[in-house]
Amino acid sequence: MESKQIAAIVVIVVIIGAIAVVGFMFIPTAPYGAVKIGQLVTPGAPAGTDSDHIVVVGILDPMTEIQGEGAWYGSYLACDEINTAGGITVGGETYYFGLISEDTSEADTDLDISKGTAAATKIITEDNAQFLLGGFRTESLLAYVETVMDEDMIFIDTGASTDSFCQNVIDDYARYKYFFRAMPINSTSLASSLLRYILYLDGYLTAVTGANITKVAIIREALDWTAGMDLFLNGYLPLYGMEVVADVAYPITAEATDFATYWSQIDAAGAQITIPIISAQGGILMMTQYAQAQPGCVLAGIDVMSQLDSYWGETGGGCAYEVVLQSTLRTNKTTKTVAFWDAFLNHYNSEPLYTAVGSYDAMYMYAQAIESAQSFVSDDVVTAMEGFTRASPFIGAGGRVAWTLGHDLLESPDYSYTLFCQWQDDGTKQCVSSGGLIYPDSIVTASLQLPQWTGWSINP
Amino acid sequence: MIEEILIYGMVQGSLLALLALGFSLVYGVGGILNLAHGAFYLITAYLIYWILPYFIFIDNYLLRFGITAAISLVIAVVISAVTYLGLMEPLKESHIGIVLITFALAFFFEQFVKFVGDPKTHFIIPFVPGTVTFLGVTFPAQLVALVVGSLILVTLVTLFINRSTIGKSIRAVSQDFEAAQLVGINTNMILMATVMISALLIGFAAVLYAPGNFIRPNMGWRYLLLAFSVTIFGGMGSIPGSIAGSFIMGYATTITDFLISPTFSVIIPIVVILVMLLVRPQGLLGKKELY
Amino acid sequence: MMGLQVDMQSLIGRFMVWAKTFRGSITLLSLFGLLLVPVTGNVYLSTIIVTAMIYSIFAASWDFLAGFAGQVSFGHAAFFGISAYFTAAFVEFVGVHWIVALFIGGGYAIIFSLLIGIPCLRLKGPYLALGTLAFSLIIWNLFLTGTWLGGTEGISGLPRLGNIFVVFYIVASFMVASLIIMRAIVDSRLGTILKAIRDDETCADASGINTTTYKLIAFMISGFFAGIAGGLFALHLTAVNPAVYQTLYSFYAIIMAAIGGMVTIYGSVIGAFLFTVLSELLRPLAAASLLIFATILILIIRFAEEGVMNPVLERLQDVWDLIRRR
């Protein structure tokens, strides 16, 4: 290292620093609910509330990605509403909620689970969070949930659907009782909802098209979570007289050309209904290629990206006619849903992702549970949370929450359920009928559209 | 089935040729293992995505896309030249140094795109709309542009290397670095030119292939891996080897897709490479002394 | 008995002499400082340092193979991951003591280092890099798409070794032991042979060294220590999933070793600590953190070809000498 080089480094560092400072000064005033990491915010709390009267809720999520952003937006809105309405009263004193988040980087393709554990440790020991919510990627949450449980902290899962978390609660109640899932319904329920919807769709299509609908194709990411659902569908569909004619498990790195080949395979097999089971970017390609290839089948299944309101634009309208599972839409799931949806749109100018709905509800759960327990001690709050039962469910924006034995959402048309939503050809997403099998027809916002392409007809 | 394999194999092969040719060239000429190769695909694609809205006033999408693509390619090539001069050239004596700096560079570009834009997946509308039916197989018309574009570019680059003065210097440097220096070739300039050609080629891959495909900040690594594997398969530094390797790999992937299962289409090519390395380490048409 | 005592005495003597040198005192001082970390009672800091120490072993094992034996591997994550998986599996499914499981994991890493090392013997430079990379990618994909050992979700909920401070001292002792053993190996006759192979394989071959055997030995030693690191990683995080096979971890090792300084073994510690602590410090900057991190990385690599440890130490030594002379 010559002194010249050292000088060069110093100069570069100074320049970068200067740019950073100047850039920082020119950053426009942060919009409502801008994501902050490692910094306590108390929206809606009166200025000068002393820190003893702030209940700190920590968010553990991939904060730089949409899932974490959604969780932050949802809980920020709830926090603002609760605080503005006067906070919560415990032991005759008024407390307000505060939010703090740490980035677990769990949505990274190159997952490093040690970052999640470090984030959990930091939020508990350094940021002094009292209650936690978040979680998205199962592999990562599996590791840092242990850190959380070590400290007997309550964690409300607002993004990971794997069953095993709630199984843990049943298997080792003393250790895992602090775990609750507010969103989404678990994988098994998702799969069974999907199956029931396909059965309904079968009947509907048979009635509408006059064709004998028996041929189903499955297109899915070659990952463990889709393998379970695939097995489930392959096992049950034949019992209802349907045949799986093509089962495409593609690598998550698949690209446009690959999807063109998959559609030609599926169409060649004569599929009439295609069930996607996709969480990653493959969905965009699947839909753009579907719109181009115009195969003779309708699509209904799981496509996580499709839940974003930007999906229509990203696929250039190619997602038209796709029916997907989605937790919430602007429809009367509960009395709170539409109000929440509109408030969210109003503040953030975008539709809430499922993590946003889950986190919004989680904040209200905490508020309600803490007030009824009149305590901030985890064990007391757990007992209060367990009061959300069939008889007295928690009314959230995402559904009526009643816990199962494992602190999981009870799936039923009366409690929590998933919606089936279709992208219609005018670019709006509408909740379509499930024949009352999964949710009441009263919340349906539009009827199912079949592809309107010229010359299109369903495969014979 | 045969027709589909033929067509999609061709498409895969054309893409791989564009990806691998530049990578192989840079290694052959300067011994530079450029791990930032895929990053140039990334930045070209994102530049297109970012610049496209500024030309919204041009109604003809093909024209609008053309102008955007040209600007993006120029910027990408300039960036490649700057990074070569600033970062790769000073470290080119140390193999591990080059590996590290280009890795850091690729990482930097990924984070840059994520920071300036957002981490979401985006989609660029194809500039050739609709579908084409050929041999009874229907596929997106954009892929025709990819195949045709790739064939033209690969031919042009091969001609350029074989006929032009710079091309001859490039070949001279790749055959014997010191002798080339002795006869007065500015090896540094030649290396820079090679890096720029390589960025241009993979940039064109982005222009032809990114529309109709998704783009996201981490996609560079995948294209790097593809380029790397095909180059090793064809023989490091051998241009005909890379081209042949591309098409063999393209067909191998497609055959796996259709006849075995798409699940294995990631693994099979890697296995093919591994077997290749064990049986014939210098690659298909590689030079013996290189390995 | 006599001989042993003499040996011990001479060893202690050598240690005392070394401890009084500049490098010796710096090392001991740093080690002392490190061991004091848990005394602060800061759980977060301890967690980060534990991770950094695990990466130190991993990076050092890569440095051993690449720096001393000249075999640049891009697939080191394979050893790391295999051992992490088998350690976790033996603890979770067989129920053996963690320390036994850790060495079983290390054993599996040795087996896999042979599986990778033998076919890759003929390869060099970028060919070796891609060969090892291909192996790690295949293993990653097998675990990602397969359903064995927990499938995509991997194995989780391993029992903790104790509270974080206990873990700290366990990992610290493993780190110190691993580094000393690796350093001792490279300073021994074996190390000299490896360096000879690295510098000129043909020549080494000609002087009667069985290069094949020695290269494999290098692979096995490196694989074993990478495996120890992987096993500790799984035990520390109490979970393991296919992500441990990612190329990301291979590059972690390469970058850490390079930042600290290659061909030093000890440099890896500096690299790993810098890397881990820096990325944690940048945490509040959210999206900008990795961008700044990448920039710093580029600057270090560009301007400090030998890594940061040796140049900094030399500077310090100059200052030290100046002070002592006065």
Side-chain angles (χ1 to χ4, degrees):
Chain A
M1 288 250 287
E2 294 298 317
S3 46
K4 250 196 292 181
Q5 286 173 336
I6 295 175
I9 295 177
V10 171
V11 170
I12 292 171
V13 168
V14 168
I15 291 176
I16 292 175
I19 293 174
V21 169
V22 173
F24 192 73
M25 290 194 304
F26 279 93
I27 286 175
T29 44
Y32 181 85
V35 177
K36 296 246 169 53
I37 295 179
Q39 200 181 331
L40 184 69
V41 294
T42 53
T49 311
D50 76 89
S51 59
D52 295 354
H53 288 78
I54 298 289
V55 184
V56 183
V57 177
I59 302 173
L60 287 171
D61 247 325
M63 299 313 295
T64 59
E65 311 270 342
I66 50 173
Q67 296 84 6
E69 190 184 73
W72 178 268
Y73 283 174
S75 38
Y76 191 93
L77 181 62
C79 186
D80 193 5
E81 286 175 8
I82 296 170
N83 286 348
T84 313
I88 52 173
T89 314
V90 176
E93 290 196 56
T94 308
Y95 291 84
Y96 296 95
F97 276 109
L99 288 179
I100 194 158
S101 75
E102 288 298 343
D103 190 2
T104 56
S105 306
E106 63 195 275
D108 289 8
T109 333
D110 295 319
L111 177 69
D112 179 358
I113 54 173
S114 69
K115 288 187 181 161
T117 306
T121 312
K122 177 154 192 255
I123 211 163
I124 296 169
T125 62
E126 301 288 302
D127 303 339
N128 297 318
Q130 294 158 275
F131 300 97
L132 297 173
L133 59 90
F136 162 64
R137 178 103 160 248
T138 305
E139 298 96 297
S140 180
L141 182 56
L142 277 171
Y144 70 76
V145 82
E146 297 294 329
T147 310
V148 176
M149 295 301 138
D150 278 347
E151 302 296 324
D152 294 352
M153 302 263 298
I154 304 183
F155 184 93
I156 302 186
D157 170 16
T158 62
S161 70
T162 310
D163 293 22
S164 60
F165 293 111
C166 293
Q167 190 57 44
N168 281 342
V169 181
I170 298 173
D171 294 345
D172 189 353
Y173 181 78
R175 175 171 172 80
Y176 291 103
K177 67 176 175 182
Y178 307 101
F179 185 93
F180 292 87
R181 171 155 43 215
M183 187 63 72
I185 59 171
N186 67 40
S187 307
T188 310
S189 305
L190 286 177
S192 87
S193 301
L194 185 56
L195 176 69
R196 277 175 281 157
Y197 183 75
I198 297 299
L199 298 180
Y200 162 75
L201 190 64
D202 177 29
Y204 178 83
L205 287 176
T206 308
V208 172
T209 63
N212 183 21
I213 308 291
T214 55
K215 286 177 270 185
V216 179
I218 297 172
I219 179 167
R220 64 183 178 94
E221 294 167 346
L223 291 178
D224 199 32
W225 75 274
T226 68
M229 290 203 190
D230 184 57
L231 219 62
F232 178 85
L233 290 172
N234 268 305
Y236 278 97
L237 284 172
L239 300 182
Y240 296 94
M242 276 183 273
E243 183 195 353
V244 178
V245 290
D247 192 343
V248 180
Y250 66 85
I252 45 173
T253 49
E255 297 188 341
T257 46
D258 302 318
F259 278 92
T261 67
Y262 305 151
W263 279 121
S264 61
Q265 286 176 34
I266 290 171
D267 206 25
Q272 295 156 319
I273 299 174
T274 298
I275 308 172
I277 311 174
I278 297 173
S279 70
Q281 71 277 359
I284 292 186
L285 300 178
M286 177 184 72
M287 290 320 295
T288 49
Q289 296 300 328
Y290 173 72
Q292 291 201 332
Q294 306 192 341
C297 59
V298 293
L299 262 172
I302 298 171
D303 178 1
V304 175
M305 295 277 295
S306 180
Q307 300 179 6
L308 297 173
D309 51 5
S310 57
Y311 197 61
W312 180 269
E314 293 294 353
T315 56
C319 61
Y321 315 120
E322 185 189 22
V323 179
V324 286
L325 256 154
Q326 180 166 339
S327 72
T328 316
L329 199 69
R330 192 182 184 281
T331 178
N332 279 321
K333 251 186 128 172
T334 69
T335 47
K336 286 173 84 176
T337 315
V338 173
F340 159 72
W341 194 272
D342 290 344
F344 195 95
L345 255 181
N346 186 26
H347 281 299
Y348 301 111
N349 215 8
S350 70
E351 292 177 6
L353 199 68
Y354 72 107
T355 54
V357 186
S359 308
Y360 179 85
D361 285 350
M363 288 298 288
Y364 273 101
M365 275 180 205
Y366 276 138
Q368 209 170 313
I370 292 170
E371 272 199 321
S372 94
Q374 285 296 303
S375 159
F376 297 110
V377 179
S378 292
D379 286 75
D380 300 340
V381 180
V382 166
T383 314
M385 291 271 282
E386 284 174 343
F388 303 138
T389 57
R390 279 166 187 270
S392 58
F394 167 84
I395 311 294
R400 289 152 51 87
V401 175
W403 305 120
T404 65
L405 210 55
H407 293 174
D408 205 347
L409 293 168
L410 176 68
E411 199 262 342
S412 124
D414 294 327
Y415 296 96
S416 298
Y417 47 79
T418 180
L419 303 175
F420 281 84
C421 301
Q422 185 185 35
W423 282 102
Q424 306 225 316
D425 53 12
D426 57 358
T428 61
K429 200 193 285 167
Q430 304 287 351
C431 176
V432 294
S433 171
S434 67
L437 289 175
I438 300 159
Y439 43 85
D441 265 346
S442 59
I443 63 167
V444 167
T445 57
S447 55
L448 188 75
Q449 275 182 348
L450 294 183
Q452 308 287 310
W453 305 311
T454 44
W456 182 86
S457 67
I458 202 154
N459 279 329
Chain B
M1 191 62 92
I2 303 282
E3 296 88 344
E4 272 128 350
I5 291 175
L6 270 178
I7 290 172
Y8 287 114
M10 186 73 190
V11 171
Q12 291 278 359
S14 315
L15 172 69
L16 292 178
L18 277 184
L19 296 175
L21 202 50
F23 187 78
S24 173
L25 207 55
V26 170
Y27 185 79
V29 175
I32 292 177
L33 196 61
N34 183 7
L35 297 188
H37 190 62
F40 288 102
Y41 183 102
L42 172 77
I43 45 183
T44 317
Y46 265 87
L47 282 169
I48 294 174
Y49 180 73
W50 287 333
I51 297 175
L52 213 47
Y54 290 103
F55 290 98
I56 199 81
F57 57 87
I58 302 174
D59 280 335
N60 185 335
Y61 185 71
L62 191 59
L63 183 66
R64 194 198 315 166
F65 188 88
I67 294 173
T68 311
I71 296 173
S72 312
L73 280 175
V74 170
I75 299 177
V77 170
V78 169
I79 292 177
S80 77
V82 171
T83 50
Y84 172 75
L85 287 179
L87 299 173
M88 295 185 211
E89 199 270 334
L91 292 176
K92 72 171 186 287
E93 298 306 319
S94 135
H95 282 289
I96 194 75
I98 279 287
V99 164
L100 287 170
I101 198 80
T102 52
F103 173 80
L105 202 58
F107 184 62
F108 175 84
F109 281 129
E110 179 186 345
Q111 298 309 327
F112 181 80
V113 164
K114 218 170 171 177
F115 181 69
V116 176
D118 56 50
K120 290 176 201 161
T121 304
H122 293 290
F123 183 75
I124 302 174
I125 299 166
F127 57 88
V128 189
T131 53
V132 171
T133 306
F134 181 65
L135 294 175
V137 184
T138 309
F139 55 96
Q142 177 70 41
L143 298 181
V144 180
L146 172 68
V147 173
V148 174
S150 164
L151 290 182
I152 294 175
L153 275 165
V154 169
T155 320
L156 280 181
V157 169
T158 320
L159 283 179
F160 177 77
I161 301 285
N162 283 327
R163 300 282 161 79
S164 74
T165 327
I166 301 179
K168 281 176 183 157
S169 311
I170 290 178
R171 276 194 300 155
V173 176
S174 90
Q175 272 158 16
D176 194 329
F177 196 86
E178 271 136 34
Q181 241 169 349
L182 279 180
V183 297
I185 294 174
N186 185 344
T187 48
N188 224 347
M189 285 302 291
I190 293 303
L191 260 178
M192 190 171 92
T194 323
V195 170
M196 286 163 76
I197 293 175
S198 129
L200 184 71
L201 278 171
I202 196 163
F204 259 110
V207 169
L208 296 169
Y209 190 61
N213 211 340
F214 66 85
I215 57 172
R216 55 178 299 145
N218 64 6
M219 67 181 173
W221 301 109
R222 176 179 154 72
Y223 296 109
L224 169 70
L225 185 64
L226 287 176
F228 197 172
S229 345
V230 168
T231 310
I232 292 281
F233 186 72
M236 279 241 115
S238 155
I239 292 175
S242 300
I243 298 172
S246 303
F247 285 94
I248 295 175
M249 288 283 286
Y251 278 103
T253 316
T254 313
I255 289 173
T256 320
D257 260 349
F258 275 91
L259 299 183
I260 306 173
S261 156
T263 319
F264 294 105
S265 62
V266 186
I267 295 190
I268 294 287
I270 304 175
V271 174
V272 169
I273 291 162
L274 214 50
V275 172
M276 187 72 188
L277 280 175
L278 304 183
V279 178
R280 196 181 152 80
Q282 72 271 37
L284 268 186
L285 302 170
K287 288 177 270 181
K288 187 77 179 162
E289 62 268 21
L290 262 178
Y291 87 95
Chain C
M1 196 63 204
M2 237 356 237
L4 194 70
Q5 265 175 345
V6 172
D7 266 345
M8 276 309 282
Q9 265 176 358
S10 82
L11 249 155
I12 291 170
R14 271 169 62 194
F15 178 78
M16 291 306 285
V17 172
W18 173 77
K20 277 182 197 146
T21 62
F22 168 71
R23 291 208 168 213
S25 8
I26 286 275
T27 312
L28 288 180
L29 213 62
S30 317
L31 188 61
F32 185 65
L34 180 68
L35 293 181
L36 279 184
V37 167
V39 178
T40 62
N42 189 324
V43 177
Y44 174 54
L45 183 67
S46 306
T47 311
I48 299 170
I49 302 284
V50 166
T51 314
M53 290 193 294
I54 294 173
Y55 286 150
S56 304
I57 306 177
F58 184 41
S61 79
W62 183 85
D63 189 23
F64 180 86
L65 189 61
F68 290 93
Q71 310 286 309
V72 177
S73 148
F74 276 14
H76 233 55
F79 311 137
F80 187 73
I82 278 292
S83 170
Y85 252 98
F86 280 101
T87 306
F90 272 91
V91 168
E92 180 81 7
F93 303 135
V94 185
V96 300
H97 191 263
W98 64 267
I99 203 156
V100 180
L102 186 61
F103 282 96
I104 293 175
Y108 273 96
I110 294 182
I111 296 173
F112 271 79
S113 68
L114 282 177
L115 279 180
I116 297 180
I118 293 173
C120 290
L121 270 178
R122 296 210 290 156
L123 307 176
K124 266 190 197 148
Y127 295 89
L128 177 70
L130 188 79
T132 47
L133 178 65
F135 262 112
S136 71
L137 286 177
I138 290 174
I139 297 178
W140 179 27
N141 275 297
L142 286 179
F143 274 84
L144 199 60
T145 48
T147 46
W148 49 80
L149 293 182
T152 318
E153 283 169 23
I155 304 166
S156 61
L158 304 178
R160 286 210 188 277
L161 306 184
N163 71 26
I164 184 67
F165 305 118
V166 175
V167 175
F168 187 97
Y169 286 115
I170 291 174
V171 174
S173 45
F174 269 100
M175 178 185 81
V176 172
S178 307
L179 292 176
I180 290 177
I181 293 173
M182 271 190 269
R183 187 70 220 185
I185 294 175
V186 298
D187 288 338
S188 70
R189 194 173 154 271
L190 177 59
T192 317
I193 294 173
L194 290 178
K195 278 180 260 183
I197 296 176
R198 173 194 70 191
D199 293 336
D200 194 336
E201 192 169 339
T202 330
C203 210
D205 222 4
S207 24
I209 295 172
N210 186 345
T211 53
T212 309
T213 315
Y214 281 105
K215 274 180 7 188
L216 282 182
I217 290 177
F219 258 103
M220 284 160 67
I221 295 173
S222 173
F224 174 74
F225 285 108
I228 291 292
L232 288 172
F233 188 75
L235 291 169
H236 167 49
L237 295 176
T238 71
V240 63
N241 62 63
V244 289
Y245 295 111
Q246 289 170 129
T247 319
L248 175 81
Y249 287 105
S250 303
F251 274 96
Y252 270 10
I254 301 175
I255 285 175
M256 288 168 190
I259 291 181
M262 279 180 64
V263 206
T264 56
I265 299 289
Y266 295 143
S268 303
V269 182
I270 309 290
F273 274 67
L274 263 182
F275 186 94
T276 320
V277 172
L278 198 61
S279 55
E280 281 297 325
L281 282 182
L282 291 172
R283 189 181 270 286
L285 294 173
S289 65
L290 285 174
L291 186 65
I292 296 170
F293 187 75
T295 315
I296 296 174
L297 201 61
I298 289 180
L299 290 178
I300 293 182
I301 296 169
R302 168 68 182 80
F303 293 106
E305 275 178 64
E306 287 172 51
V308 294
M309 184 181 81
N310 275 332
V312 169
L313 280 184
E314 277 157 24
R315 282 294 133 92
L316 273 177
Q317 187 156 23
D318 291 347
V319 178
W320 170 271
D321 288 346
L322 269 178
I323 296 167
R324 289 221 323 202
R325 238 175 273 154
R326 278 188 191 155

